[in-house]
Coordinates of all heavy atoms in Angstrom, one line a residue:
M1 N -0.4 -21.2 47.9 CA 0.4 -21.7 46.8 C 1.9 -21.4 47.1 O 2.7 -22.3 46.8 CB -0.1 -21.0 45.6 CG 0.6 -21.4 44.3 SD -0.2 -20.6 42.9 CE 0.0 -21.8 41.7
L2 N 2.2 -20.3 47.6 CA 3.6 -20.0 47.9 C 4.0 -20.3 49.3 O 5.2 -20.4 49.6 CB 3.9 -18.5 47.6 CG 3.9 -18.1 46.2 CD1 4.1 -16.6 46.0 CD2 4.9 -18.8 45.3
G3 N 3.1 -20.6 50.2 CA 3.4 -21.0 51.5 C 3.0 -19.9 52.5 O 2.4 -18.9 52.1
T4 N 3.2 -20.2 53.8 CA 2.7 -19.3 54.9 C 3.8 -18.7 55.6 O 3.6 -18.0 56.6 CB 1.8 -20.1 55.8 OG1 2.5 -21.2 56.4 CG2 0.5 -20.6 55.1
E5 N 5.1 -18.8 55.2 CA 6.2 -18.3 55.9 C 7.1 -17.5 55.0 O 8.2 -17.9 54.6 CB 7.0 -19.5 56.5 CG 6.2 -20.3 57.5 CD 7.0 -21.5 58.0 OE1 8.3 -21.4 57.9 OE2 6.4 -22.3 58.7
P6 N 6.7 -16.2 54.7 CA 7.5 -15.3 53.9 C 8.7 -14.9 54.7 O 8.7 -14.8 55.9 CB 6.6 -14.2 53.6 CG 5.6 -14.1 54.7 CD 5.4 -15.6 55.1
R7 N 9.8 -14.6 54.0 CA 11.0 -14.1 54.7 C 11.0 -12.6 54.9 O 11.5 -12.1 55.9 CB 12.3 -14.3 53.8 CG 12.6 -15.8 53.8 CD 13.9 -16.1 53.1 NE 14.2 -15.2 52.0 CZ 15.2 -15.3 51.2 NH1 16.1 -16.1 51.4 NH2 15.4 -14.5 50.2
N8 N 10.3 -11.8 54.1 CA 10.2 -10.4 54.2 C 8.9 -9.9 53.5 O 8.5 -10.4 52.5 CB 11.4 -9.7 53.6 CG 11.6 -8.3 54.0 OD1 10.9 -7.9 54.9 ND2 12.5 -7.6 53.4
I9 N 8.3 -8.8 54.1 CA 7.1 -8.2 53.5 C 7.4 -6.7 53.4 O 7.8 -6.1 54.5 CB 5.8 -8.4 54.3 CG1 5.6 -9.9 54.4 CG2 4.7 -7.7 53.7 CD1 4.5 -10.3 55.4
L10 N 7.2 -6.0 52.3 CA 7.5 -4.6 52.1 C 6.3 -4.0 51.6 O 5.7 -4.4 50.7 CB 8.7 -4.4 51.1 CG 9.1 -3.0 50.8 CD1 9.7 -2.3 52.0 CD2 10.0 -3.0 49.6
F11 N 5.8 -2.9 52.3 CA 4.7 -2.0 51.8 C 5.2 -0.6 51.5 O 6.0 0.0 52.2 CB 3.7 -1.9 52.9 CG 2.9 -3.1 53.2 CD1 3.3 -4.0 54.2 CD2 1.7 -3.4 52.5 CE1 2.6 -5.2 54.4 CE2 1.0 -4.6 52.7 CZ 1.4 -5.5 53.7
A12 N 4.7 -0.1 50.3 CA 5.0 1.3 49.9 C 3.6 1.9 49.8 O 2.8 1.4 49.0 CB 5.8 1.4 48.7
T13 N 3.3 3.0 50.4 CA 2.0 3.6 50.4 C 2.1 5.1 50.2 O 3.0 5.8 50.7 CB 1.3 3.4 51.7 OG1 1.2 2.0 52.0 CG2 -0.1 4.0 51.8
C14 N 1.2 5.7 49.3 CA 1.1 7.1 49.1 C -0.3 7.5 49.5 O -1.2 6.9 49.1 CB 1.4 7.5 47.7 SG 3.0 7.1 47.1
R15 N -0.4 8.6 50.3 CA -1.8 9.0 50.7 C -1.9 10.5 50.4 O -0.9 11.3 50.5 CB -2.1 8.6 52.1 CG -1.3 9.2 53.2 CD -1.8 8.7 54.6 NE -1.9 7.3 54.7 CZ -1.0 6.5 55.3 NH1 0.1 7.0 55.8 NH2 -1.2 5.2 55.4
K16 N -3.1 10.9 50.1 CA -3.4 12.3 50.0 C -3.4 13.0 51.3 O -4.1 12.6 52.2 CB -4.7 12.5 49.2 CG -4.6 12.1 47.8 CD -5.6 12.9 47.0 CE -5.4 12.5 45.5 NZ -5.9 13.5 44.6
P17 N -2.6 14.1 51.5 CA -2.6 14.7 52.8 C -3.9 15.4 53.2 O -4.2 15.4 54.4 CB -1.5 15.7 52.6 CG -1.2 15.9 51.2 CD -1.7 14.7 50.5
Q18 N -4.6 15.8 52.2 CA -5.9 16.5 52.6 C -7.0 15.6 53.2 O -7.7 15.9 54.0 CB -6.6 17.1 51.4 CG -5.7 17.9 50.4 CD -5.1 17.1 49.3 OE1 -4.3 16.2 49.6 NE2 -5.4 17.4 48.1
T19 N -7.0 14.3 52.7 CA -8.0 13.3 53.1 C -7.4 12.2 54.0 O -8.1 11.5 54.7 CB -8.7 12.7 51.9 OG1 -7.7 12.0 51.1 CG2 -9.4 13.8 51.1
G20 N -6.1 11.9 53.9 CA -5.5 10.8 54.6 C -5.9 9.4 53.9 O -5.6 8.4 54.5
V21 N -6.4 9.5 52.7 CA -6.8 8.2 52.0 C -5.6 7.7 51.3 O -4.9 8.4 50.6 CB -8.0 8.5 51.0 CG1 -8.2 7.3 50.2 CG2 -9.2 9.0 51.8
D22 N -5.3 6.4 51.4 CA -4.2 5.7 50.6 C -4.7 5.6 49.2 O -5.7 5.0 48.9 CB -4.0 4.4 51.1 CG -3.3 4.3 52.5 OD1 -2.9 5.4 53.0 OD2 -3.2 3.3 53.1
V23 N -4.0 6.3 48.3 CA -4.4 6.2 46.9 C -3.5 5.3 46.1 O -3.8 5.0 44.9 CB -4.4 7.6 46.2 CG1 -5.5 8.5 46.8 CG2 -3.1 8.4 46.4
F24 N -2.4 4.9 46.7 CA -1.5 3.9 46.0 C -0.9 3.1 47.1 O -0.3 3.6 48.1 CB -0.4 4.7 45.2 CG 0.6 3.7 44.7 CD1 0.4 3.2 43.4 CD2 1.7 3.4 45.4 CE1 1.4 2.3 42.9 CE2 2.7 2.5 44.9 CZ 2.5 2.0 43.6
T25 N -1.0 1.8 47.0 CA -0.3 0.9 47.9 C 0.3 -0.3 47.1 O -0.4 -0.8 46.3 CB -1.2 0.3 49.0 OG1 -1.7 1.4 49.7 CG2 -0.5 -0.6 49.9
R26 N 1.5 -0.6 47.4 CA 2.2 -1.7 46.7 C 2.8 -2.6 47.8 O 3.4 -2.1 48.8 CB 3.3 -1.3 45.8 CG 4.1 -2.4 45.2 CD 5.1 -1.9 44.1 NE 5.9 -3.0 43.6 CZ 5.5 -3.7 42.6 NH1 4.4 -3.5 41.9 NH2 6.3 -4.6 42.1
A27 N 2.5 -3.9 47.7 CA 3.0 -4.9 48.7 C 3.9 -5.9 47.9 O 3.5 -6.4 46.9 CB 1.9 -5.6 49.4
E28 N 5.1 -6.1 48.5 CA 6.0 -7.1 47.9 C 6.3 -8.2 49.1 O 6.6 -7.8 50.2 CB 7.3 -6.5 47.4 CG 7.1 -5.6 46.3 CD 8.4 -4.9 45.8 OE1 9.5 -5.3 46.4 OE2 8.3 -4.1 44.9
V29 N 6.2 -9.4 48.7 CA 6.4 -10.5 49.7 C 7.5 -11.4 49.1 O 7.4 -11.9 48.0 CB 5.1 -11.3 49.9 CG1 5.3 -12.4 50.9 CG2 3.9 -10.4 50.3
L30 N 8.5 -11.6 49.9 CA 9.7 -12.4 49.5 C 9.7 -13.7 50.2 O 9.6 -13.8 51.5 CB 11.0 -11.6 49.9 CG 12.3 -12.4 49.6 CD1 12.5 -12.7 48.2 CD2 13.4 -11.6 50.2
Y31 N 9.7 -14.8 49.4 CA 9.8 -16.2 50.0 C 11.2 -16.7 49.6 O 11.9 -16.1 48.9 CB 8.8 -17.0 49.4 CG 7.3 -16.7 49.7 CD1 6.6 -15.8 49.0 CD2 6.7 -17.3 50.8 CE1 5.3 -15.4 49.4 CE2 5.4 -17.0 51.2 CZ 4.7 -16.0 50.5 OH 3.4 -15.7 50.8
S32 N 11.6 -17.8 50.2 CA 12.9 -18.3 49.9 C 13.0 -18.8 48.5 O 14.1 -18.9 47.9 CB 13.2 -19.5 50.8 OG 12.2 -20.5 50.6
H33 N 11.9 -19.1 47.8 CA 11.8 -19.6 46.4 C 11.1 -18.8 45.4 O 11.0 -19.1 44.3 CB 11.3 -21.0 46.4 CG 9.9 -21.1 46.9 ND1 9.6 -20.9 48.3 CD2 8.7 -21.1 46.3 CE1 8.2 -21.0 48.4 NE2 7.7 -21.1 47.2
A34 N 10.5 -17.6 45.9 CA 9.7 -16.8 45.0 C 9.5 -15.4 45.5 O 9.7 -15.2 46.7 CB 8.3 -17.5 44.8
V35 N 9.1 -14.5 44.7 CA 8.7 -13.1 45.0 C 7.4 -12.8 44.5 O 7.1 -13.2 43.3 CB 9.7 -12.1 44.5 CG1 9.3 -10.7 44.8 CG2 11.1 -12.4 45.1
T36 N 6.5 -12.2 45.2 CA 5.2 -11.8 44.7 C 4.9 -10.3 45.0 O 5.5 -9.8 45.9 CB 4.0 -12.7 45.2 OG1 2.8 -12.4 44.6 CG2 3.9 -12.6 46.7
A37 N 4.1 -9.7 44.2 CA 3.8 -8.2 44.4 C 2.3 -8.0 44.0 O 1.8 -8.7 43.2 CB 4.7 -7.4 43.5
A38 N 1.8 -7.0 44.8 CA 0.4 -6.6 44.5 C 0.3 -5.1 44.6 O 1.0 -4.5 45.4 CB -0.6 -7.3 45.5
T39 N -0.5 -4.5 43.8 CA -0.7 -3.1 43.7 C -2.1 -2.7 43.8 O -3.0 -3.3 43.1 CB -0.1 -2.5 42.5 OG1 1.3 -2.9 42.4 CG2 -0.1 -0.9 42.5
A40 N -2.5 -1.7 44.6 CA -3.9 -1.2 44.7 C -3.8 0.3 44.5 O -3.0 0.9 45.2 CB -4.5 -1.6 46.0
V41 N -4.6 0.8 43.6 CA -4.6 2.3 43.3 C -6.0 2.8 43.2 O -6.9 2.1 42.8 CB -3.8 2.6 42.0 CG1 -2.3 2.2 42.2 CG2 -4.4 2.0 40.8
I42 N -6.2 4.1 43.5 CA -7.4 4.8 43.3 C -7.1 6.0 42.4 O -6.1 6.8 42.7 CB -8.0 5.4 44.7 CG1 -8.3 4.2 45.5 CG2 -9.2 6.2 44.4 CD1 -8.7 4.6 46.9
G43 N -7.7 6.2 41.3 CA -7.5 7.4 40.5 C -6.2 7.4 39.8 O -5.6 8.4 39.6
A44 N -5.7 6.2 39.3 CA -4.4 6.2 38.7 C -4.5 5.2 37.5 O -5.4 4.4 37.4 CB -3.4 5.7 39.6
K45 N -3.6 5.3 36.6 CA -3.5 4.4 35.4 C -2.2 3.6 35.5 O -1.2 4.2 35.7 CB -3.5 5.3 34.1 CG -3.2 4.5 32.9 CD -4.4 4.3 32.0 CE -4.0 3.7 30.7 NZ -4.6 2.4 30.5
Q46 N -2.3 2.3 35.3 CA -1.1 1.5 35.4 C -1.0 0.7 34.2 O -1.9 0.1 33.8 CB -1.2 0.6 36.7 CG 0.1 -0.2 36.8 CD 0.2 -0.9 38.2 OE1 -0.7 -0.6 39.1 NE2 1.2 -1.6 38.4
E47 N 0.2 0.7 33.6 CA 0.6 -0.1 32.5 C 1.9 -0.9 32.8 O 2.9 -0.2 32.9 CB 0.8 0.7 31.2 CG -0.5 1.4 30.7 CD -1.4 0.4 30.0 OE1 -1.0 -0.6 29.5 OE2 -2.6 0.7 30.0
G48 N 1.8 -2.1 33.0 CA 3.0 -2.9 33.4 C 3.5 -2.4 34.8 O 2.8 -2.3 35.8
D49 N 4.8 -1.9 34.9 CA 5.3 -1.4 36.1 C 5.2 0.1 36.2 O 5.6 0.7 37.2 CB 6.8 -1.8 36.2 CG 7.0 -3.2 36.5 OD1 6.1 -3.8 37.1 OD2 8.0 -3.8 36.2
L50 N 4.7 0.8 35.3 CA 4.5 2.3 35.3 C 3.1 2.6 35.8 O 2.1 2.2 35.3 CB 4.7 2.8 33.9 CG 4.5 4.3 33.7 CD1 5.5 5.1 34.5 CD2 4.5 4.7 32.2
C51 N 3.2 3.5 36.8 CA 1.9 3.9 37.4 C 1.9 5.5 37.4 O 2.8 6.1 37.9 CB 1.7 3.4 38.8 SG 0.2 3.9 39.6
I52 N 0.8 6.0 36.8 CA 0.8 7.5 36.7 C -0.4 8.0 37.5 O -1.6 7.5 37.3 CB 0.6 8.0 35.2 CG1 1.9 7.5 34.4 CG2 0.5 9.5 35.2 CD1 1.8 7.7 33.0
T53 N -0.2 9.0 38.3 CA -1.3 9.6 39.2 C -1.0 11.1 39.4 O 0.1 11.5 39.1 CB -1.4 8.8 40.5 OG1 -2.5 9.4 41.2 CG2 -0.1 8.9 41.3
D54 N -2.0 11.8 39.9 CA -1.8 13.2 40.2 C -1.4 13.5 41.6 O -1.7 14.5 42.1 CB -3.2 13.9 39.8 CG -4.3 13.5 40.7 OD1 -4.2 12.6 41.5 OD2 -5.3 14.2 40.7
L55 N -0.7 12.6 42.2 CA -0.4 12.8 43.7 C 0.6 13.9 43.9 O 1.5 14.2 43.1 CB 0.3 11.5 44.2 CG -0.6 10.2 44.4 CD1 0.3 9.1 44.9 CD2 -1.7 10.6 45.4
C56 N 0.5 14.5 45.0 CA 1.5 15.4 45.5 C 1.6 15.2 47.0 O 1.8 16.0 47.8 CB 1.1 16.9 45.3 SG -0.5 17.3 45.9
A57 N 1.6 13.9 47.3 CA 1.7 13.4 48.7 C 3.1 12.8 49.0 O 3.8 12.4 48.1 CB 0.6 12.5 49.0
C58 N 3.3 12.5 50.2 CA 4.5 11.8 50.6 C 4.4 10.3 50.5 O 3.3 9.8 50.4 CB 5.0 12.2 52.0 SG 3.7 11.7 53.2
S59 N 5.5 9.6 50.4 CA 5.6 8.2 50.4 C 6.1 7.6 51.7 O 7.0 8.2 52.3 CB 6.5 7.6 49.3 OG 6.0 8.0 48.0
V60 N 5.5 6.6 52.1 CA 5.9 5.9 53.4 C 6.2 4.5 53.0 O 5.4 3.8 52.4 CB 4.8 5.9 54.5 CG1 5.2 5.2 55.7 CG2 4.4 7.4 54.8
V61 N 7.3 4.0 53.4 CA 7.7 2.6 53.1 C 7.8 1.9 54.5 O 8.5 2.4 55.4 CB 9.0 2.5 52.3 CG1 9.4 1.0 52.2 CG2 8.8 3.2 51.0
E62 N 7.2 0.8 54.6 CA 7.2 0.0 55.8 C 7.8 -1.4 55.5 O 7.3 -2.1 54.7 CB 5.9 -0.2 56.4 CG 5.8 -1.0 57.7 CD 4.4 -1.1 58.3 OE1 3.6 -0.2 58.0 OE2 4.2 -2.0 59.1
D63 N 8.9 -1.8 56.2 CA 9.5 -3.0 56.0 C 9.3 -4.0 57.1 O 9.6 -3.6 58.2 CB 11.1 -2.8 55.7 CG 11.8 -4.0 55.3 OD1 11.2 -5.1 55.1 OD2 13.0 -3.9 55.2
R64 N 8.7 -5.1 56.8 CA 8.4 -6.0 57.9 C 9.2 -7.3 57.7 O 8.9 -8.1 56.8 CB 6.9 -6.4 58.0 CG 6.0 -5.3 58.3 CD 4.6 -5.8 58.3 NE 3.7 -4.7 58.5 CZ 2.4 -4.8 58.4 NH1 1.8 -5.9 58.2 NH2 1.7 -3.7 58.5
T65 N 10.3 -7.5 58.4 CA 11.1 -8.7 58.3 C 10.4 -9.8 59.1 O 10.1 -9.5 60.3 CB 12.5 -8.5 58.7 OG1 13.1 -7.4 57.9 CG2 13.4 -9.7 58.6
V66 N 10.1 -10.9 58.5 CA 9.4 -12.0 59.2 C 10.4 -13.0 59.7 O 11.4 -13.3 59.1 CB 8.4 -12.6 58.2 CG1 7.6 -13.7 59.0 CG2 7.5 -11.6 57.7

């Protein structure tokens, strides 16, 4: 629907250090005419843009310029 040639893709991930499991991941894809975002969480509550979880882990952001 948006095309196959995004200009930029950004991932933000939080993982529990004890298990190494990603408990929160957000992906943002930037096109020349639109922006889309997706969020996947385990054990969290999300309302709109607010996400609440019991994490005490670090965040890693990966930026992929296409």
Side-chain angles (χ1 to χ4, degrees):
M1 184 174 211
L2 292 175
T4 59
E5 298 181 15
R7 291 191 320 185
N8 197 10
I9 302 172
L10 177 69
F11 288 92
T13 302
C14 297
R15 63 179 52 101
K16 289 208 175 203
Q18 313 90 297
T19 62
V21 173
D22 292 349
V23 292
F24 174 89
T25 299
R26 179 174 173 86
E28 296 180 2
V29 184
L30 175 65
Y31 293 89
S32 60
H33 61 284
V35 175
T36 185
T39 304
V41 297
I42 298 173
K45 169 107 174 119
Q46 184 165 355
E47 293 288 335
D49 288 333
L50 176 65
C51 182
I52 300 172
T53 182
D54 64 350
L55 287 180
C56 55
C58 62
S59 296
V60 177
V61 176
E62 182 178 337
D63 187 2
R64 296 182 188 172
T65 303
V66 181

